[in-house]
């Protein structure tokens, strides 16, 4: 008869979850005992980093990822990253050790009191199995829950004395179960959408992150080309991935993230088709009409909550890729004028310090065709998008939840999931601090991410927000002498500081070509970089 541990690890194997991210404590050691040779444990020195790495790994591998945390305090430290993972639709199995069952009622030291409650509302399901024998089934249920639409974290609390118990004799069924998470659209709804497209005179496509997650770039491109649709990316604030090639002639740019400006950008359109995005991840609050005069909106999402909470428009609940494919069956060639393509990006004049735009323009010059960007440089998000115009699927990851710390950690997970593609992690020096210990994991596990740190000595985006919110005199917005390169070096990541454009070019080229993690820090002029 198999032990709970044997059955659980067999379950992880069945789901291809042989990489476990975590930070262990005494309550997790029994799970990790006799750690099997075909598994890999990736240590994060703080739980936000462990969860962020698992998030990046899950998204870039397309499979659920497992992160194991240390009872209540470990879960507490990981909560912000769970919030991000939920916003990213990232399928995570989050487990945490729990006190010995006989200790829980007396609340012995480190008991995770209310273990299932504390993770709400950032998980889809949380559970502590009533019997040790139920652990494999509970883990299976959490993996399926995390993997079904909308993907997201699910949590299981695991009493530490369960692992050597005998598993339920019927556990094999739960271990072997598979689930196909994609749901197709109602054919009648697709037919009616096709008719609306055919009769629209000026429709537009808004491409969201779930197009990438459902592997549907080619379908989005085929639809846009056949229907001559101008395409906008969903607002960068909530667009954790790209749903359309940004170098494509039909691509018209990234939608602004606020109500009034979105409507202004879409003025004159009579049908707005949003695929694989919420409607919309607005911020800051700039009020205005929700839709341009004469426009209607149809959104396709696999997330019932996104479907329900949209403030306007109709919705079709379905996997983005399956819906696009079904729509392609119904629509013919449209006879509409194609929009002008965006002008080519330019870096502007070289200044001292460089502008963020010039930094991203330089990155674009050395960026490999198969490169991946993980981005957390708030004041230069739009500039990076414009300068790089990423045009391959799976090439961009951004923390859709807005909680800093995602970037540095997720880049490590993305690189572990995609070892053959060069990963460049672009960070503001402020953002780097929220997952700073991730540098150690990158160095210790030889994860060859290139970290590009933009150093502007302040929280630039917050100064921009202060302006929008008409706030003056707010403290805590300056970051003098924050030495990221030196700190990364101390954690074991080879780091350099450059200033001029040609130095940056050479340093980036060499870091991207290196088989080790490398960091390049560059001073930049403060302020919002939009182009
Ligand atoms: C966990 C968390 N804490 C605080 C914030 C608020 N915040 C948003 S952007 C930002 C500044 C980031 O600074 P930096 O990375 O240097 O980028 P810059 O704005 O200078 O481009 C802060 C503190 C957040 N988003 N997440």
């Amino acid at each position: 008869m198999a032990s709970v541990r044997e059955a659980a690890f067999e379950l992880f194997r069945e789901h291809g979850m042989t990489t476990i991210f975590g930070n262990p404590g005494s309550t997790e050691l029994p799970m990790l005992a006799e750690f099997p040779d075909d598994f890999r444990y990736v240590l994060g020195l703080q739980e936000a980093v462990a969860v962020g790495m698992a998030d990046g790994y899950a998204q870039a591998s397309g499979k659920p990822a497992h992160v194991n945390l240390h009872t209540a305090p470990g879960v507490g430290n990981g909560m912000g990253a769970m919030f991000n993972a939920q916003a990213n639709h990232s399928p995570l199995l989050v487990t945490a050790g729990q006190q010995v069952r006989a200790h829980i009622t007396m609340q012995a030291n480190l008991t995770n009191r209310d273990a299932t409650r504390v993770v709400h509302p950032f998980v889809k399901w949380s559970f502590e199995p009533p019997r040790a024998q139920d652990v494999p089934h509970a883990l299976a249920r959490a993996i399926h829950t995390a993997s079904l639409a909308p993907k997201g974290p699910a949590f299981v609390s695991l009493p530490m004395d369960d692992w050597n118990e005998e598993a339920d004799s019927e556990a094999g069924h739960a271990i072997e179960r598979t689930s196909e998470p994609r749901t197709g659209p109602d054919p009648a709804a697709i037919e009616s959408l096709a008719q609306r497209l055919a009769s629209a005179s000026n429709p537009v496509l808004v491409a969201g992150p779930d197009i990438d997650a459902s592997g549907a770039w080619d379908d989005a491109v085929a639809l846009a080309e056949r229907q001559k649709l101008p395409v906008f990316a969903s607002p960068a604030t909530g667009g954790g991935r790209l749903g359309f090639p940004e170098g494509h002639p039909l691509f018209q740019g990234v939608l602004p993230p606020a109500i009034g400006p979105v409507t202004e950008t879409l003025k004159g359109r009579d049908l707005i088709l949003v695929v694989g995005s919420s409607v919309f991840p607005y911020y800051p609050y700039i009020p205005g009409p929700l839709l341009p005069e004469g426009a209607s909106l149809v959104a396709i999402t696999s997330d019932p909550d996104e479907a329900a909470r949209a403030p306007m428009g109709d919705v079709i609940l379905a996997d983005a890729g399956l819906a696009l494919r079904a729509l392609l069956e119904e629509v013919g060639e449209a006879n509409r004028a194609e929009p002008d393509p965006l002008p080519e990006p330019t870096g502007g004049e070289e200044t001292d310090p460089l502008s963020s735009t010039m930094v991203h323009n330089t990155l674009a010059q050395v960026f490999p065709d198969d490169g991946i960007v993980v981005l957390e440089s708030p004041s230069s998000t739009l500039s990076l998008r414009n300068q790089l115009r990423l045009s391959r699927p799976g090439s961009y990851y951004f923390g859709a939840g807005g909680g800093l710390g995602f970037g540095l950690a997720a880049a490590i997970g993305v690189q572990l999931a995609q070892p053959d593609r060069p990963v460049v992690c672009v960070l503001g020096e402020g953002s780097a601090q929220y997952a700073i210990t991730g540098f150690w994991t990158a160095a210790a596990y030889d994860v060859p991410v290139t970290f590009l740190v933009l150093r502007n000595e302040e929280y630039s985006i917050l100064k921009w927000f202060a302006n929008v919110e008409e706030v003056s005199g707010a403290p805590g917005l300056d970051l003098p002498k924050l030495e990221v390169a030196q700190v990364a070096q101390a954690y074991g990541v080879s780091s350099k500081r450059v200033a001029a454009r040609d130095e940056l070019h050479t340093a980036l080229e060499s870091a991207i070509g290196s088989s080790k993690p490398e960091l390049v820090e560059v001073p930049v002029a403060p302020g919002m970089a939009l182009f």
Side-chain angles (χ1 to χ4, degrees):
M1 189 66 73
S3 68
V4 165
R5 184 187 300 105
E6 287 162 346
F9 277 77
E10 196 46 41
L11 170 77
F12 300 149
R13 249 180 225 113
E14 283 288 324
H15 287 275
M17 299 167 70
T18 53
T19 297
I20 300 178
F21 298 88
N23 185 269
S26 50
T27 44
E28 291 68 42
L29 293 177
M31 179 187 112
L32 300 172
E34 313 298 341
F35 198 67
D37 289 343
D38 58 329
F39 277 68
R40 154 171 80 168
Y41 186 85
V42 180
L43 176 62
L45 300 185
Q46 203 266 10
E47 290 80 0
V49 176
V51 177
M53 290 192 296
D55 183 347
Y57 189 83
Q59 290 192 67
S61 66
K63 288 194 293 213
H66 180 185
V67 56
N68 179 245
L69 307 175
H70 178 49
T71 180
V75 168
N77 284 348
M79 286 291 281
M82 277 187 238
F83 171 85
N84 283 336
Q86 188 181 51
N88 290 333
H89 288 169
S90 192
L92 292 194
L93 167 65
V94 184
T95 57
Q98 169 66 298
Q99 256 296 359
V100 171
R101 284 181 184 271
H103 259 162
I104 295 175
T105 307
M106 66 182 82
Q107 209 178 306
N109 196 23
L110 281 172
T111 299
N112 193 356
R113 209 184 81 180
D114 287 337
T116 58
R117 200 152 68 109
V118 75
V119 284
H120 277 289
F122 301 153
V123 299
K124 292 173 71 181
W125 184 63
S126 76
F127 197 65
E128 189 170 89
R131 305 177 305 162
Q133 299 96 294
D134 301 325
V135 166
H137 186 190
L139 290 168
R141 184 170 167 187
I143 293 168
H144 292 297
T145 303
S147 308
L148 293 168
K151 295 179 181 182
F155 175 78
V156 188
S157 165
L158 298 164
M160 59 190 287
D161 52 332
D162 286 359
W163 296 99
N164 291 326
E165 296 293 316
E166 261 185 22
D168 191 285
S169 59
E170 295 296 303
H173 292 293
I175 292 171
E176 284 170 7
R177 289 187 73 223
T178 64
S179 56
E180 280 301 334
R182 307 175 77 186
T183 47
D186 178 345
I190 292 294
E191 213 182 299
S192 132
L193 173 58
Q195 281 162 12
R196 282 172 80 169
L197 264 175
S199 56
S201 49
N202 205 0
V204 63
L205 173 65
V206 177
D210 283 350
I211 294 178
D212 197 31
S214 67
W217 270 50
D218 291 348
D219 304 297
V221 171
L223 178 70
E225 289 180 350
R226 201 184 293 172
Q227 279 287 303
K228 316 271 187 309
L229 298 174
V231 182
F232 287 90
S234 55
T237 35
R241 299 171 73 156
L242 305 185
F244 197 82
E246 305 208 327
H248 192 285
L250 288 169
F251 184 69
Q252 300 293 293
V254 184
L255 276 187
I259 296 171
V262 168
T263 300
E264 190 55 35
T265 307
L266 297 175
K267 211 158 134 187
R269 311 290 176 184
D270 57 349
L271 178 62
I272 300 160
L273 172 59
V274 183
V275 182
S277 165
S278 66
V279 175
F280 284 108
Y282 294 123
Y283 197 51
Y285 180 59
I286 303 178
L290 287 166
L291 283 176
E293 180 96 16
S296 69
L297 182 147
V298 180
I300 296 172
T301 173
S302 61
D303 181 344
D305 188 58
E306 279 182 3
R309 72 178 193 251
M312 74 291 197
D314 306 320
V315 73
I316 299 173
L317 192 71
D319 174 81
L322 294 180
L324 283 170
R325 225 155 292 158
L327 193 55
L328 281 167
E329 298 283 313
E330 298 290 331
V331 299
E333 286 285 334
N335 196 8
R336 298 185 184 100
E338 293 190 19
D340 292 336
L342 292 176
E344 283 299 306
T346 57
E349 294 291 305
E350 181 165 353
T351 49
D352 180 20
L354 296 177
S355 65
S356 301
T357 298
M358 177 64 93
V359 168
H360 296 324
N361 185 274
T362 310
L363 174 62
Q365 288 179 359
V366 299
F367 195 72
D369 283 347
D370 58 346
I372 299 176
V373 168
V374 182
L375 177 61
E376 196 170 273
S377 169
S379 63
S380 74
T381 302
L382 288 175
S383 157
L384 182 132
R385 291 281 286 271
N386 183 49
Q387 294 293 331
L388 266 78
R389 308 254 173 110
L390 294 163
S391 291
R392 278 211 189 185
S395 300
Y396 176 83
Y397 297 92
F398 176 90
L404 298 178
F406 168 81
L408 202 169
I412 298 167
V414 168
Q415 182 72 86
L416 287 169
Q418 296 284 344
D420 299 328
R421 295 182 63 179
V423 174
V424 179
C425 176
V426 180
L427 298 169
E429 92 257 61
S431 298
Q433 308 309 316
Y434 297 79
I436 196 85
T437 63
F439 285 132
W440 179 86
T441 304
Y445 290 79
D446 250 341
V447 190
V449 174
T450 297
F451 298 99
L452 169 61
V453 177
L454 278 67
R455 175 173 172 161
N456 57 17
E457 314 261 333
E458 64 176 33
Y459 286 154
S460 255
I461 189 97
L462 297 189
K463 292 192 175 177
W464 178 85
F465 262 98
N467 211 11
V468 173
E469 295 171 18
E470 297 178 5
V471 167
S472 58
L477 304 183
D478 291 306
L479 301 176
K481 299 199 182 79
L482 186 50
E483 303 294 342
V484 182
Q486 286 180 33
V487 172
Q489 186 75 42
Y491 274 120
V493 172
S494 165
S495 301
K496 49 165 82 70
R497 190 161 179 216
V498 298
R501 180 180 197 172
D502 56 344
E503 280 181 315
L504 175 66
H505 190 283
T506 312
L508 281 175
E509 217 165 29
S510 127
I512 292 170
S514 161
S515 57
K516 300 213 162 291
E518 310 260 352
L519 182 142
V520 178
E521 179 187 297
V522 58
V524 293
M528 198 73 160
L530 296 174
F531 305 106

